[in-house]
Amino acid sequence: MSHCHSNHLSTLPNWTPKDIREPQLENELKECCGRVFIDSAPEFCIPETSTINLKHVDVILISNYQSMLALPYITERTEFSGIVFATDPTLQIAKQFMEEMVKYIERTPKARQASLWKKSSVYKHIPLAFNVDTNQNSKPFLWQQIYSTKELNNSLSKVKVIGFAEQIDIFGSLQAQALSAGYCIGSCNWVITSNHEKIVYLSNSSTLTTHPKPMDHIPLRNADVLVLNNLSQTPHVNPDSMLGEFCVNIGKALQMGGNVLVPCYSSGVIYDLFECLALH
């Protein structure tokens, strides 16, 4: 996608799929270096909502800032009226991340909103520069444009901040706790207990020692139900040594009077890097 005005981009040739008769479609697709791009404002794949009525959802538990980026689509564009819980670092980092994303897109608005290419009979024949999932809930016709700043602020105002290991009472029926996941600053796993059962929701987690708060794994034991968000194999390269090399090279560059540019998001992982760089 492009977020700058460019004569080169505006003069790119149109592209039309063979054997598809859509007169206006050629105004939505551009060709560049043998690849096809959509000339439209950016859109996002929102959380799946077709199999659940969010009107009946009472509580949302946020595990880390990455899991929170789509929250306005739920709180502001559905009938959800429940409570959202998150740790304070998760809320603050997600807020910065989302504000930056909204401003990035809004500062160069595009008048065009392409929609014809989203037809199933069309996009399957377009050699797009990205992969479109065949999953029903990831199909382009479900994508939406970015939420507004007002929607963002309204959504964040509905989040209730909780601390690690704090007992949350959920309607007198359940107790919930957020336990450090060690994945990123503010990240957590959830333990939900009733009078008879213990449910553990294991989100993105890390047992490495490079994060400011280690994973709290002892309270996760002896669960009756374990819900796993995802699984990954142990990395072939140890991040500890990679971060050590990263910090050493930065130190050398600064000692020689140089500057260091780190290509990463200005929110999120940068705060973990600060923790590692502080010692150097």
Side-chain angles (χ1 to χ4, degrees), residues 9 78 159 234:
L9 294 176
T78 73
V159 178
T234 302

Side-chain angles (χ1 to χ4, degrees), residues 208-210 235-249:
L208 299 174
T209 57
T210 54
H236 298 293
V237 181
N238 189 339
D240 287 345
S241 61
M242 295 169 65
L243 279 172
E245 183 180 354
F246 173 77
C247 293
V248 168
N249 288 326

Side-chain angles (χ1 to χ4, degrees), residues 47-65:
E48 190 275 318
T49 59
S50 62
T51 60
I52 186 171
N53 189 343
L54 289 167
K55 180 180 180 180
H56 300 148
V57 174
D58 299 309
V59 177
I60 292 179
L61 306 176
I62 304 292
S63 298
N64 56 68
Y65 75 91

Side-chain angles (χ1 to χ4, degrees), residues 207-228:
T207 57
L208 299 174
T209 57
T210 54
H211 296 283
K213 191 172 182 63
M215 179 180 177
D216 189 1
H217 57 83
I218 294 178
L220 305 178
R221 298 175 180 175
N222 301 317
D224 297 296
V225 177
L226 176 62
V227 181
L228 297 174

Side-chain angles (χ1 to χ4, degrees), residues 59-65 84-91 159-170 174-193 198-205 213-220:
V59 177
I60 292 179
L61 306 176
I62 304 292
S63 298
N64 56 68
Y65 75 91
V84 181
F85 290 105
T87 64
D88 189 53
T90 292
L91 174 61
V159 178
K160 185 174 181 180
V161 172
I162 51 101
F164 286 117
E166 177 183 345
Q167 288 279 358
I168 307 169
D169 180 75
I170 301 179
L174 300 171
Q175 297 287 325
Q177 275 186 308
L179 303 170
S180 176
Y183 173 69
C184 62
I185 298 176
S187 65
C188 63
N189 294 312
W190 293 92
V191 174
I192 305 170
T193 56
K198 177 180 180 180
I199 301 172
V200 171
Y201 176 77
L202 199 63
S203 183
N204 293 332
S205 302
K213 191 172 182 63
M215 179 180 177
D216 189 1
H217 57 83
I218 294 178
L220 305 178

